[in-house]
Amino acid sequence: MHILTKLFGTRTTPEATSYPIYLYPGHAIPLRVALDTVAASQDHVQLLEWTKHYSGYIREAAIARCVELGKAECLPPLVGRLNDWVPEVRRAAAHGLLTLLATVPAEHFIPLLPQLRALTEAKRTDHAAWLSHFEQQLVHAGGRDGVLNALSSPDFRLRRAAYFVSHAQRLLEPSALSELGLRSGDIALARHAVTLIDTLPTADQPALLQLALSSSFGPVRLAALHLAVRHPDAPEIDSFLRRALFDAQGTLRHAAARALTTKGIDITPLCLEALASERLDSRRVRTALSLMVEIGAPYVEDVLSRYANDPRVDVRVRAMTLQARQNPAVRDELSQRALRDASPKVRVLGALLCTRFGAYVSLDQVRDLLTNHGDYRAALRICGREKWDHLVCLGWTTEFCSLDNKLLTELRQMLGVWLAREGASWTRPSAQHVDLLLRQQTAAALLELAADKRSVLADCLQRGGVWECSQS
C-alpha cells in the first residue's frame, strides 16, 4: 500500500498532498514527495529525527518506516511518540512497538521501561490498558529475566520501573516483592511494599511488618504502624509503640501515643522513665521533651527547666524553645538567658525570641552580648526592630568588634539603609539613646563607619536632637 493511501485513505487528492513541507532545513518540497522520501529512507539516524518533525504526517510516516526496518535503534523514538499530541501518531507508535516485539530481542526493550512506566502519569489519553498488554507481551516474548535483572540495576529509575512491572505482571510472589521493596533503600518502592503486607497471608505478615517498622523512612514506619495497630495482639507491637514514642517524625509519635492510650497505657511515666535512664541520645531526648509538651504531661515545666541546663547544645535549644511555647510570660527571661549562653546556636534562639515573639532585651544586655561574645549578628537582629536601637548597635559593633573588610562593608551598607530610611519614621530618640550616642567612642565609631556620608549622618542626628551643630 502506498504511503499516501496509508495516511490519507482513499480520499487522497493532489491538493491534499501538494502543500510544501520542510523535510530538510531551508528546502521546501510537496508533502507527497516528502512522504515518499521518508518511506524509502534507509538512514535510521535521519528517521529518528523525522519522528520529531513538526508535521504529524511526517512523524507517522517515519514511525511506519522504522517499524519496517525493524532495528533496535528505532525503539526509543517510538516510545517518545506514545504520548504524541496527534492521536494517529500515538496509535502508530503503540502498534509499532507491539509489532517490533516479534522481531527485536526483548532485552532491547528493558532500558525503555522507565519511559514506558511514565505513561501512567500521562494526561493526553489513558494508556493503562495498552501498557498492561504491552508488558504482558514483553514477558511472553522473553523479557521476564531482563525485568528481574533490572531490579538490581544501578539506575534507580530502571529499578523502580522493573519493580512495578514485576508487581503488575506477578513476576514475583507478593511477599518476596514486599521484602525487596522494603530493603531497597528507595522510598517509592518501600511505600508501595508496605501496602502489600496487608494483602498477604497472616503467617507472612509479622516478619515483613517488623522490617517495615524498622525502615529508615518515616512514612513507611507510619504506614506500618497503622497496619500494626489493627492487630493489637501481634507480637512485639507494644515494644514498637514504646520506641515509636521517641521517633523523629511527629506524626508517628502522635499515632503511637494514641495507640498506647487506647490500650490504657499512661505515656507520661514512659517518657520520664526513658529520660531518667539516660540511655537516650540527644535526638531522642529532644523528641521525648517535645512529646511531653504535645500531650500536656504533668511536671513538664520542671523537666524542661532541668534540660535547659543540659551540656548538650541542641538539647538546651529544644528545652528553652519548648519553655517559651509553654509559658509566654517567661520569654523575656529566656531570651536574656539565651543571649548569655556560650553557644552561638543558643544565642540565635535568644534573638529569635526577640524578633519573632516580642521578647524584651535591654540595650545594656545587647552591649554585653557584643563585648562578651562579639555576636554582632544576634545583636543587630535584635536591635533591627527599633531604628535608634539599630543605630546604637551599629556604633557598638564598630567599636567593640574586630572589623575585617567584609564586615566593614556590610556595616556600611546597613548604615546607608538606615540613613536612607531615617526620614520615613518620626520616632524620636529616647534619653537613653541620646546619652549612648553622645559617648565619644560610639560617636567616633559611627563617624568612621559613615565615611563619605558623615555629613548626612550628622544632619540626621542634629534633626533628631542628638548632636549639636558643633559636633558635626
Side-chain angles (χ1 to χ4, degrees):
M1 183 183 296
H2 193 274
I3 186 65
L4 295 176
T5 307
K6 283 185 179 181
L7 297 181
F8 293 97
T10 58
R11 296 185 295 171
T12 304
T13 64
E15 292 79 9
T17 59
S18 61
Y19 67 86
I21 283 287
Y22 286 91
L23 194 58
Y24 301 101
H27 181 57
I29 58 177
L31 175 59
R32 61 177 178 272
V33 177
L35 293 174
D36 287 339
T37 302
V38 173
S41 176
Q42 297 287 336
D43 185 352
H44 75 274
V45 175
Q46 184 61 66
L47 284 169
L48 302 189
E49 289 298 317
W50 284 334
T51 60
K52 298 178 285 187
H53 195 272
Y54 69 86
S55 170
Y57 296 125
I58 299 297
R59 294 199 302 277
E60 187 178 358
I63 290 171
R65 184 56 178 163
C66 285
V67 175
E68 289 175 358
L69 294 178
K71 294 183 178 180
E73 294 87 347
C74 297
L75 296 179
L78 264 65
V79 173
R81 299 270 63 84
L82 285 171
N83 200 42
D84 196 277
W85 55 94
V86 178
E88 290 79 7
V89 177
R90 291 200 297 268
R91 287 195 290 269
H95 177 72
L97 284 170
L98 286 169
T99 301
L100 290 173
L101 268 175
T103 57
V104 177
E107 60 264 23
H108 292 288
F109 291 85
I110 302 302
L112 304 175
L113 290 179
Q115 293 172 266
L116 290 165
R117 268 277 140 186
L119 293 173
T120 58
E121 300 179 4
K123 303 299 182 183
R124 287 196 177 100
T125 188
D126 186 357
H127 297 274
W130 179 87
L131 184 60
S132 177
H133 177 64
F134 178 84
E135 290 173 351
Q136 184 179 17
Q137 293 302 310
L138 175 62
V139 172
H140 290 166
R144 177 189 177 90
D145 289 344
V147 174
L148 294 178
N149 290 337
L151 290 171
S152 56
S153 168
D155 183 349
F156 80 93
R157 295 179 182 85
L158 183 55
R159 286 200 308 272
R160 285 184 180 180
Y163 174 91
F164 288 111
V165 172
S166 299
H167 176 250
Q169 300 303 321
R170 302 180 181 179
L171 302 185
L172 292 175
E173 291 294 325
S175 58
L177 192 64
S178 179
E179 181 176 358
L180 177 69
L182 292 171
R183 295 186 184 278
S184 67
D186 186 324
I187 187 170
L189 303 190
R191 293 183 74 164
H192 182 271
V194 76
T195 65
L196 297 178
I197 296 176
D198 207 30
T199 67
L200 300 176
T202 305
D204 294 339
Q205 292 186 16
L208 291 172
L209 191 59
Q210 192 64 31
L211 186 60
L213 292 172
S214 60
S215 171
S216 59
F217 302 116
V220 176
R221 297 196 301 276
L222 180 60
L225 174 61
H226 289 319
L227 287 177
V229 295
R230 297 181 194 173
H231 310 284
D233 298 328
E236 300 186 5
I237 181 60
D238 283 358
S239 174
F240 169 76
L241 290 175
R242 290 169 186 259
R243 292 197 308 274
L245 278 178
F246 310 109
D247 196 274
Q249 189 187 53
T251 308
L252 187 58
R253 293 199 302 270
H254 286 297
R258 285 195 302 269
L260 287 169
T261 302
T262 302
K263 294 167 73 72
I265 300 175
D266 188 2
I267 298 169
T268 301
L270 297 180
C271 294
L272 294 174
E273 178 184 345
L275 290 171
S277 69
E278 298 184 352
R279 292 194 301 267
L280 300 182
D281 58 18
S282 62
R283 183 187 67 79
R284 292 184 181 276
V285 169
R286 299 196 309 271
T287 302
L289 296 176
S290 296
L291 178 62
M292 292 188 70
V293 171
E294 289 163 5
I295 65 175
Y299 318 117
V300 67
E301 292 185 3
D302 294 339
V303 175
L304 292 176
S305 296
R306 184 168 75 252
Y307 279 95
N309 296 311
D310 195 273
R312 293 165 290 190
V313 171
D314 51 353
V315 173
R316 291 203 304 278
V317 170
R318 178 65 60 87
M320 296 174 74
T321 301
L322 294 172
Q323 281 182 304
R325 184 189 305 172
Q326 277 284 97
N327 186 5
V330 301
R331 287 175 181 171
D332 290 355
E333 177 188 346
L334 285 172
S335 179
Q336 295 162 15
R337 176 180 173 183
L339 292 173
R340 294 194 298 269
D341 199 280
S343 169
K345 289 184 178 180
V346 182
R347 296 198 297 271
V348 166
L349 172 63
L352 181 66
L353 291 174
C354 292
T355 57
R356 186 172 297 179
F357 300 104
Y360 172 75
V361 172
S362 69
L363 282 174
D364 288 340
Q365 290 163 329
V366 172
R367 181 169 52 196
D368 291 342
L369 175 63
L370 288 167
T371 55
N372 295 334
H373 302 292
D375 196 342
Y376 65 91
R377 294 199 179 278
L380 289 168
R381 192 175 298 138
I382 294 167
C383 292
R385 298 177 298 175
E386 205 280 334
K387 78 169 192 176
W388 294 104
D389 284 355
H390 197 202
L391 184 63
V392 170
C393 190
L394 285 171
W396 281 347
T397 302
T398 308
E399 180 182 352
F400 298 131
C401 297
S402 300
L403 300 182
D404 54 21
N405 289 335
K406 182 179 179 181
L407 177 56
L408 185 59
T409 301
E410 185 178 351
L411 293 175
R412 280 180 173 156
Q413 289 174 344
M414 290 183 183
L415 181 59
V417 173
W418 190 96
L419 292 171
R421 294 178 177 175
E422 197 278 334
S425 171
W426 297 103
T427 304
R428 301 283 294 179
S430 66
Q432 182 187 21
H433 291 133
V434 172
D435 290 342
L436 294 173
L437 291 169
L438 285 174
R439 285 183 65 250
Q440 182 177 357
Q441 296 90 335
T442 305
L446 281 172
L447 288 172
E448 177 188 354
L449 188 62
D452 57 349
K453 295 182 180 179
R454 290 184 181 184
S455 60
V456 180
L457 173 63
D459 183 60
C460 289
L461 294 177
Q462 287 167 14
R463 284 189 281 109
V466 180
W467 286 358
E468 299 294 337
C469 292
S470 60
Q471 290 179 279
S472 59

